[in-house]
Amino acid sequence: MIRVRRKPATYAIVAAAIIVAAAATLWTMGRVPICKCGYVKLWHGVVQSAENSQHLADWYTFTHVIHGFAFYAVLWVVGRRWPVGARLVAAVSVESAWEILENTDFIINRYREATISLDYYGDSIVNSISDILAMIAGFALAARLPVWTTIALTLAIELLLAYWIRDNLTLNILMLIYPLDAVRRWQAG
């Protein structure tokens, strides 16, 4: 078997093309490019507001970093022999697909009926792209950090988010798949 070695730039170009395709898809789906407020903030920290998921970063950005940790781990197990660039392209593909799926009426309505996100109307395109970049940052961290550090960071992020906003990746997944009234009441404060 002949192995073709690709240059790291090739993987970066492919990943960038996937991100551009995701942005174009979100645009054709009718997603707004930036917040309807007319400006883009680096950070928006108010979860229960119409501007959540509309700016570059918010509390949920941290959950996308955890996506990167998880994708690195899964792709290390299933594609250990793949170059890290190929694994990154696969992770960007999955994260981009999630950003598109997350902004469909089905998922938006599911969030609104099953979670505390009553004012959620989907992400702006700039927020979706930022979320993909946060996943890439998590992937890159997981590739360089010891496993125990990545696990500790995941636990710290999940606990911090549970404390500060009464939500995190674990609760988000739980409430999307199997909503619990007790969790919803706790999240409502």
Side-chain angles (χ1 to χ4, degrees):
M1 173 168 68
I2 299 173
R3 288 199 168 197
V4 178
R5 290 175 76 60
R6 303 223 190 303
K7 294 181 181 178
T10 303
Y11 297 115
I13 291 168
V14 172
I18 292 166
I19 295 169
V20 169
T25 302
L26 291 165
W27 174 262
T28 61
M29 290 169 55
R31 304 306 319 148
V32 295
I34 65 169
C35 178
K36 288 182 181 177
C37 62
Y39 53 87
V40 177
K41 293 192 285 188
L42 177 61
W43 172 261
H44 181 76
V46 182
V47 174
Q48 297 298 333
S49 76
E51 290 185 38
N52 193 50
S53 295
Q54 300 302 301
H55 297 282
L56 289 172
D58 54 47
W59 288 107
Y60 293 99
T61 302
F62 297 106
T63 66
H64 293 277
V65 172
I66 296 173
H67 288 183
F69 295 165
F71 292 156
Y72 182 83
V74 168
L75 290 164
W76 184 85
V77 170
V78 300
R80 189 174 311 170
R81 298 181 111 156
W82 302 354
V84 71
R87 287 184 267 153
L88 177 62
V89 167
V92 169
S93 298
V94 173
E95 185 74 2
S96 296
W98 167 247
E99 285 299 323
I100 292 165
L101 179 64
E102 180 185 33
N103 285 285
T104 62
D105 289 340
F106 174 76
I107 297 294
I108 291 169
N109 291 333
R110 183 73 178 152
Y111 272 129
R112 295 183 76 222
E113 69 189 30
T115 72
I116 61 167
S117 303
L118 301 176
D119 291 331
Y120 181 69
Y121 293 96
D123 298 356
S124 69
I125 295 172
V126 73
N127 180 263
S128 289
I129 300 310
S130 182
D131 288 345
I132 296 167
L133 295 175
M135 183 284 302
I136 292 171
F139 188 97
L141 283 170
R144 287 165 179 73
L145 295 174
V147 173
W148 70 267
T149 305
T150 305
I151 293 169
L153 280 171
T154 300
L155 292 172
I157 291 169
E158 287 288 85
L159 291 171
L160 177 98
L161 291 175
Y163 177 78
W164 282 105
I165 66 169
R166 294 180 182 247
D167 202 7
N168 58 28
L169 183 58
T170 304
L171 291 173
N172 207 297
I173 293 168
L174 172 69
M175 294 301 283
L176 266 176
I177 296 171
Y178 190 77
L180 299 171
D181 286 334
V183 173
R184 189 176 308 140
R185 282 191 303 274
W186 175 76
Q187 287 180 317

